Amino acid sequence: MSTSMTRNELVSWLDSYLETQRFKDYCPNGLQVEGAETVQHIVTGVTASLALLEAAVERGADTVLVHHGWFWKNEDERIRGMKRKRIAYALQHNLNLIAYHLPLDAHPEVGNNTQLARQLGFKHDLDAEGLPKGIGPSNLIQTGYLDIPETLESLSAKISDILQRDALTVGNPQQLIQRLAWCTGGAQGFMSEAIEAGVDLYISGEASEPTYHYACETSTAYIGAGHHATERYGVKALGEKVAEHFKVQVEFIDLNNPI
């Protein structure tokens, strides 16, 4: 039987578990919209879209836990249009909205980067404590290797099959890949750090125009495996951890996004 907790108990535990104080982020981490005081049913998802909120209400949830929340730095602060609809819907249905951005990317156990590596069968480089090693800003980028080298063409096809999304691939299809660096989502700007780390391939969720030139002019290939596709696993794992710790009902909803 599902039990319950207070909203504050849940948020306090999440803040501590994800070590939110370590990060200077682009949005507020933790509780973004205050809803029901008692939490009994949580829906997790990648992004706090209106569609996810509606799905949560249909399932009788009181709390939505996501990776991409609201109130991003440098966005229009006015409450109108899409933002108004989302906020109004959450308030109307007394939903708690809880979001974790960089803390969820970087977490060594349930983080997006760690979970993506598990999905794709990558072996992690480990730090002195035996945890996945991070490099770059806030140690967001993870590095590792394949037990058996594969061609870029073969590895790209495997990633596309596992993530169910055609991967954008730049580089010599026959290049052998063994050393890897990866960072989920919109992390294409970290490719220079990956190149400096001496890897054969850098993987992120999406690319920008300079990414192509980095890959063409260095020996480091690139795969853009999808922003949503690479970040669906962290929040799912976090929800499972919450369910295990608090014995509450937690349900992951994956709403398709081809980007």
Side-chain angles (χ1 to χ4, degrees), residues 41-47 52 55-56 59 61 63-68 104 112 115 119 228-241 243 248-257:
H41 185 178
I42 302 169
V43 157
T44 63
V46 177
T47 298
L52 182 66
R59 287 160 172 78
T63 300
V64 175
L65 173 62
V66 296
H67 178 49
H68 299 138
L104 184 55
N112 285 319
Q115 291 297 317
Q119 292 292 322
H228 177 90
T230 59
E231 295 196 324
R232 61 164 72 103
Y233 304 104
V235 73
K236 182 175 186 292
L238 179 61
E240 291 167 355
K241 182 65 67 172
V248 295
Q249 183 178 357
V250 181
E251 180 179 3
F252 174 68
I253 298 176
D254 185 22
L255 299 178
N256 183 52
N257 182 338

